Amino acid sequence: MTIRTTSAIVAAALSGAAWLLAGPAGAQEVTLKLHHFLGPTAPAQRSFFEPWAKRVAQQSDGRIKVEIYPSMTLGGSPPQLISQLRDGVVDMIWTVTSYTPGQFPRTEVFELPFVHTNSSVATNLAIQDLYDEWLAEEYQDVHPILIHVHAGNALHTIDTPIRKPADLAGLKIRTPSRTGSFVLEALGANPVGMPVPQLPQALAKHVVDGTTIPYEISLPLKIHELVKYHMEFEDGTRLGTAVFLYGMNKARYESLPDDLKQVIDDNSGANIARQIGQVWMDVEGPGRRAAMEAGNEFIDWPVADKPEWQAAIQPAIERWVAEVTDAGIDGQALLEAATAAVEAHRAD
């Protein structure tokens, strides 16, 4: 991948060199700028964006080039990525939908504990099942390439082992989403919202006592060096997940010639949902191993204790249903549809 310097970015912007003509046949070529908030060594870039860019380049005979700008290189903060996409500042983004609360209320259903359980493959496929009927309205002004989840939010704490819901009382726990805040409040914790790049400093300074993130992101951020305890259910179920949008500017997509649109389509939605779901399952291993090598303690909550956790979390689920219903969405029907869709794919 080419990561250009600031001067090169300015030069490209001034030249307006987005479209070029190539070869004697005059076939159109396009360069797409992809902006995201993690570093260049994060699994998201290494295992998703770079292989995706290589694949569309190959399938387009080199006519699609994707330039990846990690770590908010092009400016702004993670919550601004969605507006950068809509405004055409960049061609593509990868962002967490919950970084902009209130903009994707239907999508939030897949963040909820016990909707997403222990398989990003199952949840990704369920998102595809529900997209047209339930979710599409939230993405009318962008072109989604993939809406997906990570493996789920394990709980990581600095110095407090969590063995039962009551152990969370009074702790400050970082969360990426308002649904995560609902859950933590139901469990008696104090949620602290922040984009994940801010998390290492917050842990180091004890601004928070812990966090809910997957192991894949804990490794590049070195979270395993800042916490001692890691918790999830023994069957891999976690406290919900985060939903990500890998999206393209709508006008940019619509301006492509039909054959290049087809290349993008062939590498979008249901065509890659299973693969990317498996990528996120696979990249958990290195982060978990790093925590083991650090001598940290893993606490696996017994499956037999799930009813206690579900009862404690149920007010958060009911709160979400009530709030989206007040916004004109049939929250209960959406919750039931999402739960059923994930369950149907768990055997896939």
Side-chain angles (χ1 to χ4, degrees), residues 204-217:
K205 293 186 175 182
H206 285 232
V207 173
V208 294
D209 300 301
T211 183
T212 54
I213 54 169
Y215 288 98
E216 54 93 4
I217 196 59

Side-chain angles (χ1 to χ4, degrees), residues 87-116:
D87 295 343
V89 175
V90 296
D91 303 302
M92 298 175 62
I93 63 161
W94 181 73
T95 190
V96 181
T97 57
S98 61
Y99 281 175
T100 48
Q103 293 194 26
F104 302 98
R106 295 167 177 80
T107 304
E108 287 176 341
V109 71
F110 290 102
E111 300 171 358
L112 297 171
F114 311 115
V115 174
H116 172 79

Side-chain angles (χ1 to χ4, degrees), residues 14 26 34 47 91 140 209 211 222 235 240 274 301 315 330:
L14 291 174
L34 166 60
S47 299
D91 303 302
Q140 292 183 40
D209 300 301
T211 183
K222 299 184 178 180
D235 66 354
R274 181 185 298 275
W301 300 321
D330 190 339

Side-chain angles (χ1 to χ4, degrees), residues 138 202 286 289 321 344:
E138 297 183 344
R289 286 193 294 273
V321 169

Side-chain angles (χ1 to χ4, degrees), residues 249-291:
N249 175 269
K250 188 172 184 178
R252 189 70 158 130
Y253 170 80
E254 292 176 347
S255 71
L256 296 177
D258 288 344
D259 60 338
L260 295 189
K261 283 182 185 174
Q262 189 61 54
V263 172
I264 299 295
D265 293 347
D266 290 344
N267 291 280
S268 298
N271 294 324
I272 62 170
R274 181 185 298 275
Q275 172 202 355
I276 300 306
Q278 190 59 54
V279 163
W280 252 260
M281 299 296 287
D282 294 343
V283 296
E284 287 289 273
R288 186 185 290 272
R289 286 193 294 273

Side-chain angles (χ1 to χ4, degrees), residues 90-324:
V90 296
D91 303 302
M92 298 175 62
I93 63 161
W94 181 73
T95 190
V96 181
T97 57
S98 61
Y99 281 175
T100 48
Q103 293 194 26
F104 302 98
R106 295 167 177 80
T107 304
E108 287 176 341
V109 71
F110 290 102
E111 300 171 358
L112 297 171
F114 311 115
V115 174
H116 172 79
T117 54
N118 56 8
S119 171
S120 50
V121 172
T123 302
N124 281 5
L125 294 173
I127 290 171
Q128 309 313 307
D129 291 349
L130 268 62
Y131 180 79
D132 288 341
E133 180 179 358
W134 286 102
L135 308 181
E137 182 175 337
E138 297 183 344
Y139 300 92
Q140 292 183 40
D141 57 355
V142 299
H143 181 79
I145 294 172
L146 184 65
I147 301 164
H148 72 96
V149 300
H150 58 39
N153 294 319
L155 178 62
H156 315 262
T157 55
I158 297 173
D159 51 22
T160 305
I162 307 298
R163 303 184 188 280
K164 56 186 183 299
D167 292 339
L168 277 159
L171 295 184
K172 300 186 296 293
I173 306 294
R174 178 265 174 184
T175 177
S177 65
R178 76 173 192 135
T179 58
S181 294
F182 293 173
V183 171
L184 290 169
E185 288 173 357
L187 294 171
N190 298 312
V192 180
M194 68 179 72
V196 76
Q198 299 173 18
L199 179 57
Q201 185 176 26
L203 287 167
K205 293 186 175 182
H206 285 232
V207 173
V208 294
D209 300 301
T211 183
T212 54
I213 54 169
Y215 288 98
E216 54 93 4
I217 196 59
S218 71
L219 182 57
L221 296 180
K222 299 184 178 180
I223 302 303
H224 60 286
E225 299 177 5
L226 298 167
V227 302
K228 182 178 179 181
Y229 298 100
H230 309 273
M231 289 133 298
E232 63 185 306
F233 286 99
E234 60 187 356
D235 66 354
T237 299
R238 299 180 179 177
L239 295 179
T241 189
V243 180
F244 299 82
L245 169 63
Y246 186 53
M248 188 171 177
N249 175 269
K250 188 172 184 178
R252 189 70 158 130
Y253 170 80
E254 292 176 347
S255 71
L256 296 177
D258 288 344
D259 60 338
L260 295 189
K261 283 182 185 174
Q262 189 61 54
V263 172
I264 299 295
D265 293 347
D266 290 344
N267 291 280
S268 298
N271 294 324
I272 62 170
R274 181 185 298 275
Q275 172 202 355
I276 300 306
Q278 190 59 54
V279 163
W280 252 260
M281 299 296 287
D282 294 343
V283 296
E284 287 289 273
R288 186 185 290 272
R289 286 193 294 273
M292 290 179 180
E293 291 167 1
N296 294 350
E297 182 176 347
F298 291 78
I299 299 173
D300 292 331
W301 300 321
V303 171
D305 289 352
K306 268 190 183 180
E308 179 184 4
W309 285 89
Q310 288 172 318
I313 290 171
Q314 185 59 29
I317 307 297
E318 294 173 357
R319 179 179 174 183
W320 177 83
V321 169
E323 289 203 6
V324 298

